[in-house]
Amino acid sequence: MDHRQIELVQQSFAQAERFRPHLIITFYSELFAIEPSLKPLFKGDMELQRRKLAGLLKQVIESLHEPEALLPEVRALAMRHVGYGVQERYYDLVGKALRRAEARTWRCLHG
Ligand code: HEM
């Protein structure tokens, strides 16, 4: 991504701030609808989980100008996911759930 693209992503992310809780809640409900067997992997408080995911997303967007700065943290996050029982194939499901959640949030906003 060049400088201009990063600026655009950061601007639209900031503009969408108030819809983020909707997006994140919808994301987990879509994920569990696609693959109900993933639900038991989440043993903690889901509200806390949603906040952690939202916080990390914000960090990623803020670091787009220097993504390397985030690498050590992302590596450690990936290692923790092995411990949570996450398998490689689940990442596709997460991508699918994110796209569906985005579409649902969009429909919710624009009718
Ligand atoms: C796009 C990649 C992903 C990101 C950015 C992400 C982000 C996070 C974050 C920030 C946490 C909070 C705990 C921590 O920091 O260790 C977490 C926990 C967790 N994630 Fe992910 N995650 C990703 C992919 C996945 C996938 C594919 C799964 C599979 C279902 C998954 C399942 C979990 C589980 C089970 C937990 C622990 C929840 C608990 O403690 O109850 N994550 N994730």
Side-chain angles (χ1 to χ4, degrees):
M1 268 197 280
D2 63 27
H3 186 80
R4 170 96 187 111
Q5 288 168 324
I6 291 177
E7 296 284 304
L8 284 173
V9 170
Q10 290 180 334
Q11 275 169 22
S12 55
F13 190 78
Q15 280 164 10
E17 176 131 33
R18 66 197 170 101
F19 311 119
R20 210 154 304 137
H22 183 280
L23 179 76
I24 303 254
I25 289 174
T26 313
F27 161 67
Y28 282 109
S29 83
E30 287 292 342
L31 183 64
F32 300 146
I34 292 169
E35 189 48 73
S37 70
L38 294 182
K39 205 164 181 186
L41 294 182
F42 293 84
K43 301 188 198 316
D45 172 16
M46 281 312 283
E47 177 51 34
L48 188 64
Q49 175 66 24
R50 285 194 286 264
R51 268 189 271 137
K52 283 183 184 171
L53 182 63
L56 189 90
L57 264 180
K58 192 164 186 274
Q59 239 183 307
V60 168
I61 301 294
E62 282 166 359
S63 307
L64 286 177
H65 281 299
E66 39 166 13
E68 320 74 39
L70 213 62
L71 264 186
E73 196 173 327
V74 169
R75 276 208 191 97
L77 178 67
M79 296 301 285
R80 290 200 294 278
H81 277 70
V82 177
Y84 299 148
V86 173
Q87 297 171 22
E88 205 178 326
R89 65 185 177 91
Y90 297 166
Y91 283 85
D92 271 351
L93 304 179
V94 160
K96 200 171 172 184
L98 263 178
R99 287 189 297 276
R100 285 193 189 178
E102 190 200 355
R104 258 178 68 186
T105 304
W106 182 259
R107 279 201 301 276
C108 188
L109 296 178
H110 301 279

